[in-house]
Short mmCIF file of all heavy atoms in Angstrom, two decimals:
data_model
loop_
_atom_site.label_atom_id
_atom_site.label_comp_id
_atom_site.label_asym_id
_atom_site.label_seq_id
_atom_site.Cartn_x
_atom_site.Cartn_y
_atom_site.Cartn_z
N TRP W 1 -13.36 -8.62 10.56
CA TRP W 1 -14.77 -8.53 10.24
C TRP W 1 -15.36 -9.92 10.10
O TRP W 1 -14.80 -10.77 9.37
CB TRP W 1 -14.94 -7.74 8.96
CG TRP W 1 -16.35 -7.40 8.59
CD1 TRP W 1 -17.20 -6.60 9.27
CD2 TRP W 1 -17.06 -7.87 7.45
NE1 TRP W 1 -18.40 -6.52 8.62
CE2 TRP W 1 -18.34 -7.30 7.48
CE3 TRP W 1 -16.74 -8.70 6.38
CZ2 TRP W 1 -19.30 -7.53 6.53
CZ3 TRP W 1 -17.70 -8.94 5.42
CH2 TRP W 1 -18.96 -8.36 5.50
N LYS W 2 -16.42 -10.18 10.83
CA LYS W 2 -17.12 -11.47 10.81
C LYS W 2 -16.17 -12.65 11.04
O LYS W 2 -16.19 -13.64 10.31
CB LYS W 2 -17.88 -11.65 9.50
CG LYS W 2 -19.06 -10.70 9.35
CD LYS W 2 -19.88 -11.05 8.12
CE LYS W 2 -21.07 -10.12 8.03
NZ LYS W 2 -21.94 -10.44 6.89
N GLY W 3 -15.31 -12.50 12.02
CA GLY W 3 -14.41 -13.59 12.39
C GLY W 3 -13.22 -13.78 11.49
O GLY W 3 -12.51 -14.78 11.60
N LYS W 4 -12.97 -12.85 10.57
CA LYS W 4 -11.83 -12.99 9.65
C LYS W 4 -11.04 -11.70 9.62
O LYS W 4 -11.58 -10.61 9.74
CB LYS W 4 -12.33 -13.28 8.23
CG LYS W 4 -12.84 -14.66 7.99
CD LYS W 4 -13.13 -14.83 6.52
CE LYS W 4 -13.42 -16.28 6.20
NZ LYS W 4 -13.58 -16.48 4.76
N HIS W 5 -9.73 -11.84 9.40
CA HIS W 5 -8.90 -10.68 9.15
C HIS W 5 -8.96 -10.38 7.65
O HIS W 5 -8.78 -11.29 6.83
CB HIS W 5 -7.44 -10.95 9.54
CG HIS W 5 -7.20 -10.88 11.01
ND1 HIS W 5 -7.11 -11.99 11.80
CD2 HIS W 5 -7.05 -9.82 11.83
CE1 HIS W 5 -6.91 -11.62 13.05
NE2 HIS W 5 -6.87 -10.30 13.09
N LEU W 6 -9.21 -9.15 7.31
CA LEU W 6 -9.26 -8.73 5.91
C LEU W 6 -8.12 -7.76 5.65
O LEU W 6 -7.95 -6.78 6.37
CB LEU W 6 -10.59 -8.05 5.59
CG LEU W 6 -11.85 -8.87 5.83
CD1 LEU W 6 -13.09 -8.01 5.58
CD2 LEU W 6 -11.88 -10.10 4.96
N VAL W 7 -7.33 -8.04 4.60
CA VAL W 7 -6.26 -7.15 4.21
C VAL W 7 -6.85 -6.13 3.25
O VAL W 7 -7.43 -6.50 2.22
CB VAL W 7 -5.10 -7.92 3.54
CG1 VAL W 7 -4.02 -6.95 3.07
CG2 VAL W 7 -4.53 -8.96 4.49
N LEU W 8 -6.71 -4.87 3.59
CA LEU W 8 -7.21 -3.80 2.75
C LEU W 8 -6.06 -3.22 1.94
O LEU W 8 -5.21 -2.52 2.48
CB LEU W 8 -7.85 -2.70 3.61
CG LEU W 8 -8.90 -3.15 4.62
CD1 LEU W 8 -9.32 -1.99 5.50
CD2 LEU W 8 -10.10 -3.74 3.90
N THR W 9 -6.01 -3.56 0.68
CA THR W 9 -4.93 -3.04 -0.17
C THR W 9 -5.34 -1.63 -0.60
O THR W 9 -5.93 -1.44 -1.65
CB THR W 9 -4.69 -3.94 -1.39
OG1 THR W 9 -5.94 -4.12 -2.08
CG2 THR W 9 -4.13 -5.28 -0.99
N GLN W 10 -5.01 -0.68 0.24
CA GLN W 10 -5.39 0.70 -0.01
C GLN W 10 -4.55 1.30 -1.12
O GLN W 10 -3.32 1.38 -1.01
CB GLN W 10 -5.26 1.51 1.28
CG GLN W 10 -6.20 1.02 2.35
CD GLN W 10 -6.07 1.81 3.64
OE1 GLN W 10 -5.40 2.84 3.70
NE2 GLN W 10 -6.71 1.33 4.68
N LYS W 11 -5.23 1.68 -2.19
CA LYS W 11 -4.57 2.20 -3.38
C LYS W 11 -3.64 3.37 -3.06
O LYS W 11 -2.53 3.43 -3.57
CB LYS W 11 -5.63 2.61 -4.40
CG LYS W 11 -5.05 3.04 -5.74
CD LYS W 11 -6.16 3.34 -6.72
CE LYS W 11 -5.71 3.81 -8.06
NZ LYS W 11 -4.40 4.27 -8.27
N GLU W 12 -4.08 4.27 -2.16
CA GLU W 12 -3.26 5.44 -1.84
C GLU W 12 -1.92 5.02 -1.22
O GLU W 12 -0.88 5.57 -1.56
CB GLU W 12 -3.96 6.37 -0.85
CG GLU W 12 -5.40 6.70 -1.13
CD GLU W 12 -6.38 5.63 -0.62
OE1 GLU W 12 -6.37 5.28 0.57
OE2 GLU W 12 -7.15 5.15 -1.45
N ILE W 13 -1.96 4.05 -0.31
CA ILE W 13 -0.74 3.59 0.36
C ILE W 13 0.19 2.93 -0.64
O ILE W 13 1.40 3.19 -0.66
CB ILE W 13 -1.07 2.64 1.53
CG1 ILE W 13 -1.80 3.40 2.64
CG2 ILE W 13 0.20 1.97 2.06
CD1 ILE W 13 -2.29 2.52 3.79
N LEU W 14 -0.36 2.08 -1.52
CA LEU W 14 0.47 1.39 -2.51
C LEU W 14 1.03 2.37 -3.54
O LEU W 14 2.19 2.27 -3.93
CB LEU W 14 -0.33 0.28 -3.20
CG LEU W 14 -0.73 -0.89 -2.29
CD1 LEU W 14 -1.62 -1.88 -3.03
CD2 LEU W 14 0.49 -1.60 -1.72
N ASP W 15 0.22 3.34 -3.97
CA ASP W 15 0.71 4.34 -4.93
C ASP W 15 1.82 5.20 -4.32
O ASP W 15 2.82 5.49 -4.96
CB ASP W 15 -0.44 5.25 -5.41
CG ASP W 15 -1.40 4.52 -6.34
OD1 ASP W 15 -1.04 3.43 -6.84
OD2 ASP W 15 -2.51 5.04 -6.57
N GLU W 16 1.63 5.59 -3.06
CA GLU W 16 2.65 6.38 -2.36
C GLU W 16 3.94 5.58 -2.22
O GLU W 16 5.04 6.11 -2.42
CB GLU W 16 2.12 6.76 -0.97
CG GLU W 16 3.06 7.62 -0.17
CD GLU W 16 2.51 7.92 1.22
OE1 GLU W 16 1.28 8.13 1.35
OE2 GLU W 16 3.30 7.94 2.18
N PHE W 17 3.81 4.28 -1.93
CA PHE W 17 4.98 3.41 -1.81
C PHE W 17 5.72 3.31 -3.14
O PHE W 17 6.95 3.44 -3.19
CB PHE W 17 4.56 2.03 -1.32
CG PHE W 17 5.67 1.02 -1.32
CD1 PHE W 17 6.68 1.08 -0.38
CD2 PHE W 17 5.71 0.02 -2.28
CE1 PHE W 17 7.71 0.16 -0.38
CE2 PHE W 17 6.74 -0.91 -2.28
CZ PHE W 17 7.74 -0.84 -1.33
N ARG W 18 4.98 3.09 -4.23
CA ARG W 18 5.61 2.98 -5.56
C ARG W 18 6.33 4.29 -5.93
O ARG W 18 7.43 4.27 -6.47
CB ARG W 18 4.56 2.64 -6.61
CG ARG W 18 4.05 1.22 -6.51
CD ARG W 18 3.03 0.93 -7.63
NE ARG W 18 2.33 -0.30 -7.36
CZ ARG W 18 1.03 -0.39 -7.06
NH1 ARG W 18 0.28 0.69 -7.02
NH2 ARG W 18 0.48 -1.56 -6.84
N ALA W 19 5.70 5.42 -5.65
CA ALA W 19 6.30 6.73 -5.96
C ALA W 19 7.58 6.92 -5.15
O ALA W 19 8.59 7.41 -5.66
CB ALA W 19 5.31 7.84 -5.68
N LYS W 20 7.53 6.51 -3.88
CA LYS W 20 8.69 6.63 -3.00
C LYS W 20 9.84 5.76 -3.51
O LYS W 20 11.01 6.17 -3.49
CB LYS W 20 8.30 6.22 -1.59
CG LYS W 20 9.18 6.72 -0.50
CD LYS W 20 8.57 6.33 0.84
CE LYS W 20 9.27 6.97 1.98
NZ LYS W 20 8.70 6.58 3.27
N LEU W 21 9.51 4.56 -4.00
CA LEU W 21 10.54 3.67 -4.55
C LEU W 21 11.24 4.29 -5.74
O LEU W 21 12.46 4.22 -5.87
CB LEU W 21 9.92 2.33 -4.97
CG LEU W 21 9.84 1.22 -3.95
CD1 LEU W 21 9.28 -0.04 -4.59
CD2 LEU W 21 11.16 0.92 -3.31
N LYS W 22 10.47 4.89 -6.64
CA LYS W 22 11.04 5.53 -7.83
C LYS W 22 11.93 6.71 -7.45
O LYS W 22 12.98 6.92 -8.03
CB LYS W 22 9.94 5.99 -8.77
CG LYS W 22 9.27 4.89 -9.53
CD LYS W 22 8.20 5.43 -10.44
CE LYS W 22 7.43 4.29 -11.10
NZ LYS W 22 6.32 4.79 -11.91
N LYS W 23 11.46 7.48 -6.47
CA LYS W 23 12.14 8.70 -6.07
C LYS W 23 13.44 8.41 -5.30
O LYS W 23 14.44 9.09 -5.49
CB LYS W 23 11.21 9.52 -5.18
CG LYS W 23 11.60 10.93 -4.96
CD LYS W 23 10.51 11.62 -4.15
CE LYS W 23 10.74 13.10 -4.06
NZ LYS W 23 9.71 13.75 -3.24
N HIS W 24 13.43 7.41 -4.46
CA HIS W 24 14.56 7.14 -3.58
C HIS W 24 15.32 5.89 -3.99
O HIS W 24 15.54 5.01 -3.19
CB HIS W 24 14.07 6.98 -2.13
CG HIS W 24 13.45 8.19 -1.58
ND1 HIS W 24 14.18 9.28 -1.18
CD2 HIS W 24 12.16 8.53 -1.38
CE1 HIS W 24 13.37 10.22 -0.75
NE2 HIS W 24 12.14 9.79 -0.85
N ARG W 25 15.74 5.83 -5.20
CA ARG W 25 16.50 4.68 -5.68
C ARG W 25 17.98 4.87 -5.35
O ARG W 25 18.82 4.92 -6.23
CB ARG W 25 16.31 4.49 -7.18
CG ARG W 25 14.90 4.12 -7.55
CD ARG W 25 14.90 2.82 -8.23
NE ARG W 25 13.52 2.45 -8.52
CZ ARG W 25 13.15 1.22 -8.66
NH1 ARG W 25 14.01 0.25 -8.57
NH2 ARG W 25 11.91 0.93 -8.91
N LYS W 26 18.26 4.98 -4.05
CA LYS W 26 19.65 5.09 -3.61
C LYS W 26 20.34 3.77 -3.92
O LYS W 26 19.76 2.87 -4.47
CB LYS W 26 19.72 5.37 -2.11
CG LYS W 26 19.21 6.73 -1.71
CD LYS W 26 19.34 6.88 -0.23
CE LYS W 26 18.70 8.18 0.23
NZ LYS W 26 18.70 8.31 1.67
#
């Protein structure tokens, strides 16, 4: 956007990742 890359820290993706980490602590 406007000549720059913007990182969108999407809450849903990060929350899903954290939940997956807790669940799959192999």
Side-chain angles (χ1 to χ4, degrees):
W1 188 65
K2 292 188 178 182
K4 286 186 170 186
H5 282 101
L6 302 175
V7 177
L8 307 173
T9 53
Q10 296 180 9
K11 186 177 179 343
E12 314 83 55
I13 293 174
L14 294 175
D15 288 345
E16 182 183 322
F17 173 73
R18 288 182 193 112
K20 201 174 189 181
L21 270 184
K22 286 180 185 175
K23 195 176 189 182
H24 297 284
R25 294 240 177 205
K26 291 180 186 175

